[in-house]
Amino acid sequence: MKSKSIKELLSTDFNLQEVTVNGWVKTFRSNRFIALNDGSTLNNIQCVVDFENFDEALLRKVSTGAAIKIKGTLVESQGRGQTVEIQVSELEVLGTSDPDTYPIQPKKHSLEFLREKAHLRVRTNTFAAVMRVRSALSFAIHNYFQKNGFYNVHTPIITGSDAEGAGEMFRVSTLDQKKPPLNEDGSINFKEDFFGKETNLTVSGQLEAETYAMALGKVYTFGPTFRAENSNTSRHLAEFWMIEPEVAFNDLDANMDLAEDFIKEVITYVLENCQEDLQFLEQRLLDEEKTKPQAERSAMALIEKLKFVADNNFKRVSYTEAIDILKNSTPNKKKKFQYPIEEWGTDLQSEHERYLVEKHFNCPVILFDYPAKIKAFYMRLNEDGKTVRAMDILFPGIGEIVGGSQREERLEVLQEKMKALGIDEKELWWYLDLRKFGSAVHSGFGLGFERLVLFTTGMGNIRDVIPFPRTPQNAEF
Ligand code: ATP
Ligand code: MN
């Protein structure tokens, strides 16, 4: 008999059918009720054992965490909380779990404790729910782009261009670290390295995605990116996944429309397809917030917040307007910002972004037309000569979730910009070629996948929404 998932079983009517099911024991109460879970759903199926029919030694092995196989009859449940249960006729213990040393006890564990047990933490309801939502989001993202005529491009993980400028990079090298070959001036001779040049792990697939957009029209990447930034925050990972659409002939307005529509649709997908997990995560958050002072609690519960984002327009505000708002804001006047806003041109810190989103506008905000000086070289210069067609999307509780721009498509302007910043044209000759052969307006953005998962699940730390987080001083597992 083919075994069925617990998700399937719980959605069938009881009809006295014989079923086989595999899973891990959550709890075994009164030598009679096994709560069994197989990961297919948040919910456990109750398996009722008539202990007189089973060997005592066998039942002793049915402890929390053990893997078991059950055959039995699906019947209408006598107990509350479930419609069906299994009347067990055969029970096999596939893998025992020592109750004295199994770290995941049927009680509440702190997220910090579970981070140390990242190989087992997905057996908790919280992490299983988060990872199922993560998977659903990933599917929704591919689905959105495929449905809308985008092609998925796999941009390289190892990159030879060091001009991407989005952060510190991890070097990729096969040179003998203890005795690397040296040039006459004492520097490392990368000509002898694997690729004959210095290479790193990519910080973004954008530049390569641009080349594909200029042929396939609408493309997107969805892959791992790496940043060796030593920022130990709850929003930064050293290895994270990024979604980067790039679209030929789109200007910044079209880029903003795309980003907004895209985010709303993937959130809607999760609202429709992950109801149980979201309800569980919402309750988890409510319980957690009970321990906090009133002022720190969020105004909306998780599902309400997701619906709000999916149903309302994002507020679009220029950097210049935002600076005015911030300059005149109460925290700025009362010197409550760690970085006071004094003049136009300063980069916004997350305290400013969060003020705009959480206090002033109370909704997601798209900031656009940033000062050229604080943004990357490839962003299109505006007619004013001092701002660029950049846009960041800011989310409540998260801060920046998307960074994007219309790209500079004019060869001379781009060359000038690179010269001013000391970026060698030889490093990016192929990128400049795009501006020589059939150049056109084009735009794109990068969305940090884990920040989206963070928002959607209501979790507070980015380390808890990726299976095995990579952060400074941490690469166990
Ligand atoms: P931040 O200012 O938050 O460090 P950034 O300006 O460095 O972000 P971009 O280079 O624009 O970010 O990258 C695009 C998106 O990738 C960001 O909007 C964010 O969602 C995500 N992101 C950037 N750095 C990280 C990181 N270290 N860990 C996880 N996500 C990240
Ligand atoms: Mn950064």
Side-chain angles (χ1 to χ4, degrees):
M1 189 185 352
K2 194 170 158 283
S3 59
K4 283 200 169 146
S5 75
I6 291 174
K7 187 179 179 177
E8 286 173 290
L9 290 181
L10 290 177
S11 57
T12 30
D13 283 339
F14 82 95
N15 49 11
L16 301 179
Q17 62 176 305
E18 293 302 305
V19 295
T20 303
V21 59
N22 300 306
W24 292 270
V25 176
K26 284 276 183 179
T27 54
F28 185 24
R29 278 190 302 121
S30 321
N31 232 7
R32 190 162 165 78
F33 302 107
I34 303 172
L36 192 68
N37 191 279
D38 65 356
S40 61
T41 160
L42 182 74
N43 300 307
N44 306 323
I45 195 157
Q46 173 156 286
C47 308
V48 185
V49 184
D50 198 346
F51 60 86
E52 282 163 4
N53 298 343
F54 294 89
D55 187 26
E56 223 185 293
L58 176 71
L59 292 185
R60 256 199 307 274
K61 291 184 189 159
V62 183
S63 59
T64 299
I68 64 172
K69 177 179 195 156
I70 273 178
K71 284 188 187 170
T73 319
L74 197 65
V75 298
E76 187 175 13
S77 178
Q78 303 304 311
R80 285 191 300 143
Q82 66 267 326
T83 50
V84 294
E85 61 187 25
I86 299 175
Q87 206 73 57
V88 180
S89 54
E90 284 174 45
L91 190 162
E92 185 185 342
V93 176
L94 305 171
T96 56
S97 171
D98 178 0
D100 295 330
T101 53
Y102 183 52
I104 313 295
Q105 296 295 322
K107 63 161 193 169
K108 204 164 162 47
H109 293 291
S110 76
L111 296 173
E112 290 78 12
F113 169 83
L114 290 169
R115 252 169 244 154
E116 314 262 297
K117 309 274 184 277
H119 59 309
L120 295 171
R121 66 178 180 173
V122 70
R123 297 197 192 181
T124 63
N125 284 339
T126 298
F127 282 94
V130 167
M131 294 307 158
R132 278 188 297 264
V133 171
R134 183 182 164 109
S135 169
L137 273 172
S138 170
F139 173 78
I141 287 164
H142 282 291
N143 197 33
Y144 177 87
F145 288 122
Q146 297 287 337
K147 214 172 60 184
N148 286 293
F150 285 70
Y151 296 106
N152 184 205
V153 181
H154 296 117
T155 50
I157 311 274
I158 299 173
T159 173
S161 67
D162 63 357
E164 285 166 342
E168 299 291 305
M169 302 175 105
F170 289 100
R171 179 176 296 161
V172 175
S173 173
T174 54
L175 291 178
D176 181 352
Q177 291 207 25
K178 292 192 197 93
K179 258 178 60 194
L182 301 178
N183 294 313
E184 273 169 15
D185 64 0
S187 60
I188 295 173
N189 181 7
F190 286 105
K191 287 210 177 70
E192 290 192 25
D193 206 344
F194 189 90
F195 297 106
K197 65 184 295 196
E198 198 178 343
T199 50
N200 295 289
L201 292 179
T202 187
V203 294
S204 154
Q206 177 204 320
L207 302 189
E208 290 89 352
E210 277 186 56
T211 68
Y212 267 63
M214 297 314 282
L216 297 180
K218 297 201 270 186
V219 301
Y220 73 104
T221 71
F222 186 173
T225 47
F226 307 86
R227 296 193 185 177
E229 48 196 5
N230 210 341
S231 46
N232 240 321
T233 77
S234 57
R235 313 270 176 270
H236 289 89
L237 291 164
E239 176 182 289
F240 64 100
W241 290 68
M242 184 138 71
I243 297 104
E244 296 177 276
E246 191 69 37
V247 185
F249 315 114
N250 260 13
D251 62 10
L252 191 71
D253 286 324
N255 201 32
M256 292 194 261
D257 292 343
L258 172 66
E260 187 171 337
D261 186 56
F262 161 64
I263 293 175
K264 286 176 172 172
E265 191 167 314
V266 297
I267 288 181
T268 303
Y269 179 87
V270 170
L271 279 167
E272 286 169 0
N273 291 276
C274 303
Q275 282 168 14
E276 283 166 2
D277 286 323
L278 288 181
Q279 271 158 14
F280 173 82
L281 290 166
E282 170 169 290
Q283 193 53 49
R284 194 199 78 83
L285 208 55
L286 291 171
D287 293 344
E288 189 185 272
E289 292 204 328
K290 276 189 204 138
T291 64
K292 290 188 192 165
Q294 193 77 36
E296 283 171 38
R297 297 183 198 170
S298 36
M300 288 185 208
L302 180 64
I303 293 171
E304 189 188 359
K305 186 182 75 175
L306 296 178
K307 283 189 179 144
F308 179 85
V309 168
D311 295 341
N312 288 283
N313 290 336
F314 297 3
K315 180 81 189 164
R316 300 185 187 189
V317 189
S318 75
Y319 167 90
T320 305
E321 287 170 77
I323 284 290
D324 282 341
I325 293 167
L326 288 167
K327 234 201 273 181
N328 297 316
S329 69
T330 316
N332 199 49
K333 287 181 175 160
K334 289 195 173 162
K335 309 229 177 308
K336 287 275 166 64
F337 285 141
Q338 199 185 339
Y339 299 90
I341 297 283
E342 271 145 19
E343 55 187 312
W344 190 93
T346 46
D347 205 353
L348 299 183
Q349 303 296 324
S350 78
E351 56 178 346
H352 308 129
E353 297 176 342
R354 296 187 65 164
Y355 173 83
L356 290 170
V357 174
E358 290 160 26
K359 296 279 183 307
H360 190 83
F361 290 112
N362 267 307
C363 70
V365 173
I366 311 185
L367 289 186
F368 61 91
D369 284 352
Y370 280 77
K373 266 195 289 190
I374 58 171
K375 288 289 181 187
F377 74 96
Y378 49 72
M379 299 189 178
R380 193 183 195 282
L381 194 63
N382 276 312
E383 304 312 314
D384 62 12
K386 57 177 194 169
T387 60
V388 286
R389 302 247 75 193
M391 63 123 176
D392 280 2
I393 303 186
L394 314 178
F395 259 42
I398 306 285
E400 181 187 329
I401 193 163
V402 162
S405 66
Q406 183 176 323
R407 320 305 188 187
E408 185 55 76
E409 84 284 13
R410 299 162 297 182
L411 181 64
E412 306 76 50
V413 183
L414 189 60
Q415 283 170 322
E416 227 166 88
K417 189 78 163 288
M418 287 169 64
K419 203 163 135 202
L421 292 171
I423 302 171
D424 192 349
E425 283 196 20
K426 277 192 244 124
E427 284 286 336
L428 283 177
W429 61 274
W430 51 272
Y431 190 68
L432 288 165
D433 261 8
L434 293 182
R435 279 73 186 167
K436 293 179 188 164
F437 308 117
S439 190
V441 164
H442 63 290
S443 302
F445 61 84
L447 170 110
F449 184 50
E450 284 73 20
R451 293 205 186 163
L452 180 66
V453 182
L454 207 51
F455 180 75
T456 312
T457 57
M459 298 296 283
N461 193 313
I462 201 162
R463 291 166 179 78
D464 298 331
V465 299
I466 187 166
F468 298 101
R470 298 286 176 258
T471 50
Q473 301 297 312
N474 174 31
E476 191 71 40
F477 307 104

